[in-house]
Amino acid sequence: MHKNSIKLRHNENDIDDDLDALIAETIQVQEDSADAAVRALKTAQMTEQIAASQLTQLKQQGEQLKAIDSKMDLMDAHSSNAGKQLGYLEKLARNFMIPVFSKQPKQETPPPIPERTVFPAEGDKPPGYTPRPQPAEAHSRLVENATTEQHEKSKQAESIIDQAMTGLSSALGNIKMMALSMESELIKQNEDVQSIDEKASVQKDKVDRLNARVGNLLKK
């Protein structure tokens, strides 16, 4: 009977040791998870800052393209005015100089400028992060055997994890919106570049025709 009692106490001590080890391991996993969550949040915040900087530069580039496009429109107005002035000189040449029997070349109408697609403004932010539910309660024996200090460590680790995950979700949402804004901005810039290219081609043709008319006028 005495031997059986000693053996039972040994078994109970082994169980207590196992529980203590399990509690310590659980807290260590929570703390490691909290550290990993904080590191992930810092990385996401750095990425968010880089994306914001790139988006700002991209929009500045878009403004420069719009300015070039506006200058192309101004150049078109100047070349059209030059064509009118040249037409006046050609009339003077017909009336007071050597008659001109050749017909004045018909001025081509520049191709229509493609309509610029209007993109919707940036949408609302995606739904925020819904905090994950608290993990299920540990086994009653684990709870009963954990000390007050261990409970506090566990709660602190869980709080850090929840805060980091909330911040991480917000940062990822912002990164997604900035990525969508970059995509929209690139599409608009591609259209601006295409518009500038078409206008430059039209202006080249108009300048070539004006130069030819000036050359014919000087020969008279």
Side-chain angles (χ1 to χ4, degrees):
M1 180 68 179
H2 180 66
K3 291 182 179 179
N4 291 335
S5 177
I6 293 175
K7 184 176 181 181
L8 180 60
R9 282 198 299 272
H10 279 306
N11 291 337
E12 289 176 352
N13 291 334
D14 291 342
I15 292 174
D16 290 339
D17 291 341
D18 291 342
L19 287 173
D20 290 340
L22 184 57
I23 290 171
E25 184 178 355
T26 301
I27 293 174
Q28 185 62 48
V29 169
Q30 288 178 320
E31 291 177 343
D32 291 344
S33 298
D35 291 340
V38 170
R39 289 196 300 271
L41 176 59
K42 289 181 179 179
T43 301
Q45 289 173 338
M46 289 178 59
T47 304
E48 184 180 7
Q49 292 175 358
I50 294 172
S53 175
Q54 293 296 323
L55 180 58
T56 299
Q57 294 179 10
L58 192 60
K59 287 186 176 181
Q60 290 175 350
Q61 178 177 295
E63 293 299 323
Q64 293 175 351
L65 287 174
K66 289 178 182 177
I68 294 173
D69 190 66
S70 297
K71 289 180 180 179
M72 294 300 297
D73 291 335
L74 184 61
M75 184 183 296
D76 181 68
H78 288 331
S79 62
S80 297
N81 184 57
K84 292 178 182 178
Q85 296 298 325
L86 185 58
Y88 175 72
L89 292 177
E90 288 173 337
K91 287 181 180 178
L92 289 178
R94 284 196 297 268
N95 293 330
F96 301 104
M97 300 178 187
I98 301 175
V100 179
F101 297 99
S102 60
K103 293 184 179 180
Q104 182 178 347
K106 184 178 179 181
Q107 190 171 0
E108 297 181 5
T109 303
I113 300 173
E115 294 185 2
R116 187 172 299 162
T117 304
V118 178
F119 291 88
E122 294 181 1
D124 294 332
K125 291 186 176 182
Y129 165 72
T130 303
R132 62 189 179 84
Q134 293 291 331
E137 259 187 55
H139 191 274
S140 59
R141 293 199 63 178
L142 288 177
V143 176
E144 292 171 1
N145 282 269
T147 64
T148 302
E149 182 182 0
Q150 289 171 331
H151 277 298
E152 289 300 321
K153 285 185 177 180
S154 178
K155 289 180 181 179
Q156 185 178 7
E158 285 296 323
S159 177
I160 292 174
I161 291 172
D162 283 337
Q163 292 176 11
M165 293 304 292
T166 300
L168 182 60
S169 176
S170 175
L172 291 176
N174 291 336
I175 292 171
K176 179 180 179 182
M177 284 189 297
M178 284 187 284
L180 293 174
S181 297
M182 287 181 183
E183 180 183 12
S184 176
E185 184 66 25
L186 285 172
I187 292 174
K188 287 189 287 186
Q189 289 188 20
N190 286 337
E191 292 179 349
D192 288 338
V193 170
Q194 183 179 1
S195 175
I196 292 171
D197 183 66
E198 292 175 353
K199 289 178 181 180
S201 179
V202 170
Q203 289 307 308
K204 180 180 181 304
D205 292 340
K206 291 179 71 173
V207 169
D208 288 343
R209 289 196 299 270
L210 287 173
N211 287 337
R213 288 169 64 186
V214 170
N216 291 334
L217 187 61
L218 293 176
K219 290 177 182 178
K220 295 176 182 179

